[in-house]
Amino acid sequence: MPSLIHRASPGAIPSDVRDLLARIGFSLPKLLTTSNPKLNKGEALGHGRGLILHHLPARALARAITPGTDGTTAARGFIPSLLELAEREGLTAAALAHNGCPWMTAGCGSEEGGCLNFSGHGGMGQTVAAARGRRTLAMLANPEAYARAVLWSVARHYAAARLAGENLAVRLRGTDEGPAMGWHRLPVNVTPGEALSLRERYGLEVSPHAAAPLTERLAANPGLTVYEYSKAPTSGPLGLIAQRAAGVDVTASFASDRPTACRDGLAALREGFRLAIPVAIKKGAPIPDRVTIFSGLDSITVPTVDGDLSDHRYLDPHAVAVILRTKLSRGAGPVADLFSLRGHESAQALADGAVTLSWLS
């Protein structure tokens, strides 16, 4: 095994990465989140370490750089430092046009939606929102350099995990769907010298011979898993199947208020994807044992797993319903109720069908 060094001299970081990070005010080790309640639960269970990349979701960046935005909380409102950074970098127009969640629905992505970006620390003040906004602006400024920054950041954490005898899991869609062309399609160039540095310093193997997507580069390494939740459709270049083909262990996200909610859920399950379903049940209350989705004459019943025990979805069986208890999204309005199913056994009518939750005990 090559020598694994958990410290990098400045010269080990490519110049384009170093320049981009300096402009947005980020250090390489802090680019990805290493700790939250669900990641910590997974590590305590022996599932290994986890990393999550957080950006501002949906149209939140546009709202954050618009003076006079009257957010329901500070995190949802105008953030002067982000406007200053966007103007300095010539990114104002791109930021105003940016939609980090192209498949959002009103229940999650509207101004008062129930997006998890505004739960936990993400909903407290503007510090976290500003950091996520700076990352988002960096992604808009130079997607490939930003992807290379993520690659080098993951490499550092990978080396530390291997030294500790642990696996590492990486989730790039922590609060959005990533760059417009998708993490699984964005080509990342690595020179021979950089590939050598990544291997010798961190034990991360990447090929310098082709501009492979970031997800493929990461997933090719032993003990490193790339996993995601995604509201993308099943098919198409940005879809779940394409993500899976590029090395991502992906769990489909159920959108209760989407006009095609039931058909999309059925399609994902039949393709073997897990289906994450938010349900408004209290913490500690039992989750349903089965979920049945109906659309016209079509239906499917699948077993469930408790998605709150850990964030390491790639360890769950395929073609199951992952039950996620609805989390408090600070500043959410009544529209956020559309984000979740109700916690009862009666059939719940949706736009194109119905869903039934069942408790056996």
Side-chain angles (χ1 to χ4, degrees):
M1 177 186 298
S3 173
L4 302 181
I5 302 173
H6 188 44
R7 293 182 297 111
S9 64
I13 304 173
S15 59
D16 60 336
V17 171
R18 189 167 60 250
D19 174 66
L20 182 63
L21 292 176
R23 283 159 47 199
I24 66 169
F26 253 101
S27 65
L28 201 62
K30 300 294 185 181
L31 195 59
L32 287 93
T33 297
T34 61
S35 177
N36 70 24
K38 286 179 67 174
L39 288 180
N40 297 343
K41 286 179 183 179
E43 187 167 1
L45 291 170
H47 297 167
R49 303 185 182 192
L51 299 173
I52 301 180
L53 182 62
H54 288 293
H55 298 131
L56 285 182
R59 301 303 307 279
L61 180 59
R63 295 195 293 270
I65 68 165
T66 301
T69 296
D70 187 17
T72 53
T73 64
R76 294 177 184 256
F78 172 53
I79 303 177
S81 64
L82 290 182
L83 175 59
E84 180 182 347
L85 178 59
E87 290 182 338
R88 188 183 76 209
E89 296 294 324
L91 293 169
T92 305
L96 289 172
H98 178 64
N99 181 357
C101 304
W103 302 287
M104 71 177 184
T105 58
C108 65
S110 62
E111 291 186 20
E112 296 184 10
C115 180
L116 296 182
N117 178 71
F118 303 108
S119 65
H121 287 100
M124 297 180 181
Q126 294 190 339
T127 302
V128 173
R132 293 176 180 180
R134 295 202 310 274
R135 293 190 191 97
T136 311
L137 287 169
M139 181 176 67
L140 295 178
N142 190 331
E144 184 177 339
Y146 186 64
R148 282 158 52 79
V150 172
L151 176 64
W152 255 260
S153 182
V154 171
R156 291 173 61 98
H157 293 289
Y158 180 62
R162 295 187 74 192
L163 283 172
E166 296 182 305
N167 292 330
L168 181 67
V170 180
R171 180 177 155 202
L172 301 178
R173 290 182 167 96
T175 38
D176 75 330
E177 291 282 351
M181 70 182 306
W183 288 116
H184 63 291
R185 300 173 67 225
L186 180 64
V188 178
N189 291 287
V190 177
T191 68
E194 291 167 351
L196 179 63
S197 179
L198 287 167
R199 182 174 69 250
E200 292 190 344
R201 289 175 176 271
Y202 309 115
L204 192 77
E205 295 286 348
V206 295
S207 170
H209 303 300
L214 178 61
T215 57
E216 289 185 9
R217 290 193 178 283
L218 296 177
N221 287 270
L224 201 166
T225 300
V226 182
Y227 75 108
E228 304 289 2
Y229 298 86
S230 178
K231 285 190 175 179
T234 304
S235 58
L238 297 177
L240 305 175
I241 294 173
Q243 293 181 46
R244 181 169 60 189
V248 182
D249 185 294
V250 61
T251 297
S253 294
F254 188 71
S256 299
D257 56 340
R258 183 181 289 161
T260 56
C262 294
R263 281 173 285 169
D264 292 344
L266 289 168
L269 288 168
R270 290 221 160 89
E271 285 290 341
F273 295 102
R274 306 172 204 90
L275 186 64
I277 304 178
V279 182
I281 51 179
K282 294 181 179 179
K283 182 179 180 180
I287 67 167
D289 299 282
R290 294 175 300 176
V291 172
T292 302
I293 300 177
F294 305 87
S295 184
L297 299 177
D298 193 9
S299 69
I300 189 171
T301 299
V302 294
T304 65
V305 297
D306 190 337
D308 291 335
L309 297 180
S310 167
D311 197 58
H312 293 64
R313 293 278 73 79
Y314 59 93
L315 296 175
D316 293 334
H318 293 280
V320 299
V322 179
I323 304 300
L324 300 170
R325 294 173 180 83
T326 304
K327 307 300 187 298
L328 172 66
S329 180
R330 290 177 175 82
V335 70
D337 291 341
L338 302 173
F339 182 69
S340 305
L341 296 177
R342 304 298 100 189
H344 58 68
E345 291 195 301
S346 300
Q348 301 184 50
L350 303 181
D352 66 335
V355 177
T356 300
L357 311 177
S358 303
W359 283 260
L360 299 179
S361 56

